[in-house]
Amino acid sequence: MSRNDLIRPLPGALAEARTAQDPNTLLLSTREGFDAFVHRIVVAPDLQDCAPMGTVPAPGDPRMSYHAEMLPVMTPGLRRGLLDARRMLRAGRSRTIGRPLTAVIDGDRGAGKSTLLALIGRGHQGMIEKMSGPDPDRIPVIYINVPANRDNTLHWSLPFAEFLGLDHTRPTGRGREDYRSTDMTIAITHVMRHSSTRLVLIDGVERIRETELRTAFDYFQALQDQTQATFIYCGTGACDIVQDARNDSRRAALPLNAAGRRPGYDSELPVLWVNRIPYSPKDPAEWESVVSAFDDDLRLFKHTKGSLVTLSEYLHQRTGGYIDSLNHLICQAAQEAIDNATETITRDLLDDINIGRDNAPPQ
């Protein structure tokens, strides 16, 4: 899988129709937003086609917009996670016997876990559309965030219903404008089965409290059994969270041992780890490869290729090896270099960007 496979959407009328709305105003946790993400084209602007150097950037300037996000940079964790996910989904695509695979994305906060989750969904949906052609009735992937309310199956059904565009409000009969939400699980499973949904992505599982685990994962398991979809859970500590939930459910079905306890269960869940990127002067290659990708993607008139790489050690000190911090630091510095007409990223400019540093008030 090349980097271009991850950043280039499929062409076609369906893609154009789904991206008619500004993709920046859509959420991944809606079908329209996820489709827009799958088909969105992010192209590095050609300097020859941009306003001349020194021109005050106008609202919507293509270089300013591009440097707000830039292209996805493949870290070692993202690359390995995408490879593992592709293998798992390929093996389960035609499986009809047994429960589909469940997987977990875990690792350091700010290392790119949610990015990996979204790219897995993008790659899977792109592959399905490439194989079978566009179909407005097909929903290959569902992406949800853990909801704020998680007390019962009603609350867990709502993010699924909202992604699928199902109206979950019903009149209470008490007044013309008095409505309440209702459990949509039956409708959700019906739509998933008839829309060929085979992948469910759940982000933010670290927000599920210990007392909520049983309700949440009983609900997920029931959906999985009824739809044959692969579930991938993402969050800091997700491995322990999901394993504890599965252990609790399985131990409840096991007889007590001689000590009056139920035996434990060792989870077989595959875990896709995404962690901070290490750096040392003796072994700089891994971190420098990431910095080099940012260096290549910059579109500044006075940028010298490789100049960002020479700051690799400093950039690691500033960001701790976390890709989220590095991305924000480089993007803000690039936009500032355009805005102040210096058109290059220097150590002094990076020092002035308030990212990845101790924000304690001055003494």
Side-chain angles (χ1 to χ4, degrees), residues 142-182:
I142 289 177
Y143 181 106
I144 73 163
N145 287 294
V146 168
N149 296 318
R150 304 174 290 272
D151 296 333
N152 50 46
T153 57
L154 161 63
H155 292 150
W156 280 109
S157 75
L158 297 186
F160 286 90
E162 289 172 356
F163 184 95
L164 296 171
L166 302 176
D167 181 7
H168 54 77
T169 59
R170 298 290 184 271
T172 63
R174 299 172 183 171
R176 182 175 298 178
E177 298 181 357
D178 193 4
Y179 287 82
R180 63 176 175 83
S181 293
T182 187

Side-chain angles (χ1 to χ4, degrees), residues 49-119:
D49 299 329
C50 297
M53 184 173 61
T55 304
V56 177
D61 179 87
R63 287 200 299 146
M64 293 292 278
S65 298
Y66 166 72
H67 286 103
E69 182 178 11
M70 299 176 65
L71 301 173
V73 169
M74 285 296 101
T75 67
L78 290 182
R79 187 177 293 108
R80 180 69 210 191
L82 287 168
L83 173 62
D84 289 341
R86 183 178 64 173
R87 289 171 173 171
M88 288 187 289
L89 293 169
R90 181 175 58 192
R93 193 159 58 227
S94 302
R95 190 182 297 269
T96 58
I97 299 175
R99 180 175 292 149
L101 196 61
T102 295
V104 172
I105 298 175
D106 200 344
D108 298 326
R109 189 182 301 276
K113 298 185 300 299
S114 294
T115 299
L116 174 58
L117 186 71
L119 289 177

